Amino acid sequence: MSLIVQKYGGTSVGDTDRIMNVARRIKGFVDDGHKVVVVVSARSGVTNDLIARAKTLNPEPDEREMDMLLAVGEQETIALTAMALDSLGVRAVSRTGAQAGIITDEAHTRARITEITGGDIKKCLDENKVVIVAGFQGVDKTGNVTTLGRGGSDLSAIALAAALKADLCQIYTDVSGIYTADPRIVTSARKISEMSYEELLEMASMGSKVMQARSVEFAQKHNVVFEVKSSFNNEPGTIVKSEAPSLEDVVISGVAVDRNQTKVTVSEIPDKPGTAAEIFQKLGEAGIVVDMIVQNISRGGKANLTFTVSKDDASKAERVLDNVCKTLRGSNVCITGDIAKVSVVGTGMRSHSGVAAKFFRTLAANNINIQVITTSEIKISVGISLDDAEKAVNALHSAFELDK
Ligand code: ADP
Ligand code: ASP
Ligand code: MG
């Protein structure tokens, strides 16, 4: 008998038939004698709809109220999943994030988990009940509902697996594992059988939304081994753990694309020490994460600073920067539109030369213009037009022979 934590994403619980499919899958594990804790997401599209509805009323909704609203999506699915299990004769109870003792800080819409008490989960398991926990949500120490950032149900599952010392953590989704690129964009993408936290973290941070980046970071810190697999078939998925020796000779492990970036330019800023610090300090205080950054050569004592932020933060960034510009006389803010960030990722890059050359040659051969560049030891990313994203991902995937 094992204790298994399973997470089912939005598509897997997208309608009542799919919820019943999930319930049957869970029943299979219960019948085999396992204890099961299940984390579910909101039905696919529900969180997006709730955000859109909020924004029609207020373009910058209060974040506490936003969390109150967004938590609704997962609350629907926990109850429906418990009902589906009950109809199959499996005893099950639903728990909100607060009831499951998922305690977070007060950073609404992007809260960090500070503690997991588990509430009465252990007691329920001892009574042979399946416990269905609402993903994505927690509670701060004063009782306010919080959420853990988009894709946060992954984090709920990994954190519960760590806290409950589960024997197995399974992340069920709508693809059969983690691939060398999004299989919906690159038809020749290959499933990776094992990969390291480090590599997946870089891919997730670069926009492969198959796992939330923060959840991978948490898994790495607490050494939670997990498997990403499909809820629609029984194929083996991708095992993620600290070492994945099979990948060591591989230079590039995958190509990622993030279509959720907006390019912001602050122009005519005084070219003197402390200006960039002032700009990024104010953005940081507003909770805005800045991604790719370039500063051009100054002319006449003035410079331009270009960077990207998440599309969701664009209007907030504009407001913050308008204020900063008032103190930096003569400077202007310009939101220059949405771009795609395309990255190649691989720990093998550390010890191989020529990766950058091949990367840029491939984009050039496909007539793709680069707007922003950023690199780390194990990745190269560029900001390009959204229209070029699919072409770039496919071209890089074959140039690096990821389909072989
Ligand atoms: P869930 O609702 O189960 O959390 P998500 O939509 O968040 O699922 O993540 C799964 C999706 O991630 C897939 O449908 C796929 O389109 C996308 N994806 C992006 N990059 C990859 C990749 N490298 N491997 C697998 N899936 C990927
Ligand atoms: N429902 C939330 C979202 O769409 C959390 C999740 O699905 O993991 O971001
Ligand atoms: Mg997800």
Side-chain angles (χ1 to χ4, degrees):
M1 184 199 75
S2 313
L3 170 59
I4 307 177
V5 172
Q6 303 184 329
K7 178 250 168 177
Y8 293 92
T11 314
S12 304
V13 292
D15 57 34
T16 46
D17 285 346
R18 289 187 174 176
I19 290 176
M20 195 48 100
N21 170 51
V22 162
R24 281 193 209 99
R25 199 172 271 273
I26 298 167
K27 182 177 188 301
F29 286 90
V30 173
D31 290 347
D32 287 343
H34 301 297
K35 295 203 177 291
V36 190
V37 174
V38 177
V39 173
V40 285
S41 294
R43 284 182 295 118
S44 57
V46 167
T47 309
N48 285 344
D49 285 351
L50 291 171
I51 293 173
R53 222 180 291 177
K55 292 205 167 171
T56 57
L57 295 173
N58 186 336
E60 271 187 55
D62 179 82
E63 290 181 332
R64 179 192 177 276
E65 302 309 332
M66 205 59 192
D67 278 350
M68 197 66 124
L69 176 69
L70 296 189
V72 170
E74 272 69 13
Q75 214 159 312
E76 177 194 355
T77 14
I78 50 171
L80 291 175
T81 309
M83 290 172 195
L85 280 164
D86 190 43
S87 79
L88 298 176
V90 177
R91 296 172 74 206
V93 284
S94 61
R95 293 289 181 261
T96 63
Q99 289 169 338
I102 299 179
I103 316 295
T104 74
D105 63 14
E106 286 125 53
H108 284 290
T109 73
R110 53 183 175 280
R112 291 197 163 263
I113 296 175
T114 52
E115 190 193 354
I116 295 193
T117 67
D120 66 350
I121 292 180
K122 287 226 164 87
K123 183 170 160 279
C124 295
L125 292 173
D126 288 342
E127 291 164 1
N128 292 321
K129 290 176 186 154
V130 173
V131 186
I132 321 282
V133 180
F136 182 49
Q137 53 174 263
V139 65
D140 72 10
K141 57 181 188 305
T142 53
N144 290 303
V145 176
T146 54
T147 63
L148 310 174
R150 295 308 305 271
S153 299
D154 295 329
L155 177 57
S156 310
I158 302 277
L160 272 170
L164 298 169
K165 299 191 171 54
D167 302 294
L168 203 60
C169 179
Q170 300 173 320
I171 308 290
Y172 286 95
T173 182
D174 56 5
V175 286
S176 298
I178 297 158
Y179 287 70
T180 49
D182 187 338
R184 297 186 200 285
I185 300 177
V186 179
T187 45
S188 59
R190 276 183 311 105
K191 184 160 69 186
I192 302 168
S193 56
E194 280 189 3
M195 77 191 296
S196 66
Y197 296 123
E198 192 185 15
E199 257 153 337
L200 179 56
L201 180 57
E202 199 73 57
M203 268 175 81
S205 313
M206 292 310 109
S208 294
K209 72 164 191 165
V210 61
M211 282 295 289
Q212 188 208 33
R214 283 177 55 195
S215 72
V216 183
E217 213 174 352
F218 194 103
Q220 181 171 34
K221 195 159 157 205
H222 297 270
N223 209 16
V224 179
V225 176
F226 62 93
E227 182 177 8
V228 178
K229 58 196 307 186
S230 170
S231 69
F232 298 98
N233 63 44
N234 290 315
E235 287 176 29
T238 301
I239 307 277
V240 185
K241 54 188 191 176
S242 60
E243 294 292 327
S246 59
L247 280 183
E248 261 174 15
D249 309 330
V250 179
V251 183
I252 301 299
S253 50
V255 184
V257 60
D258 177 356
R259 301 171 201 257
N260 203 34
Q261 301 244 327
T262 297
K263 195 168 86 172
V264 183
T265 298
V266 188
S267 54
E268 299 287 300
I269 54 174
D271 188 25
K272 58 172 199 219
T275 329
E278 170 77 7
I279 290 171
F280 293 123
Q281 164 122 14
K282 289 289 187 294
L283 289 167
E285 283 167 5
I288 297 168
V289 177
V290 173
D291 194 346
M292 299 186 268
I293 304 174
V294 277
Q295 180 171 327
N296 71 353
I297 303 161
S298 78
R299 273 205 204 104
K302 300 277 186 181
N304 292 347
L305 191 61
T306 297
F307 48 86
T308 63
V309 298
S310 149
K311 204 152 71 180
D312 309 330
D313 285 337
S315 63
K316 193 159 144 197
E318 189 170 25
R319 184 172 48 76
V320 170
L321 291 167
D322 272 335
N323 280 331
V324 179
C325 284
K326 283 184 194 135
T327 61
L328 304 171
R329 256 175 289 141
S331 311
N332 299 300
V333 186
C334 177
I335 304 284
T336 35
D338 297 341
I339 60 165
K341 180 171 68 170
V342 173
S343 315
V344 296
V345 174
T347 46
M349 251 189 243
R350 284 197 184 105
S351 49
H352 283 75
S353 59
V355 176
K358 186 182 275 188
F359 184 97
F360 292 111
R361 235 183 5 245
T362 305
L363 295 183
N366 284 277
N367 205 18
I368 294 168
N369 192 39
I370 299 164
Q371 304 181 30
V372 205
I373 302 174
T374 153
T375 62
S376 82
E377 228 191 344
I378 65 165
K379 68 130 208 280
I380 305 176
S381 308
V382 287
I384 59 174
S385 143
L386 277 172
D387 297 337
D388 286 334
E390 234 175 277
K391 185 163 73 169
V393 176
N394 275 289
L396 291 165
H397 192 268
S398 55
F400 285 99
E401 299 181 9
L402 291 169
D403 38 8
K404 301 267 157 67

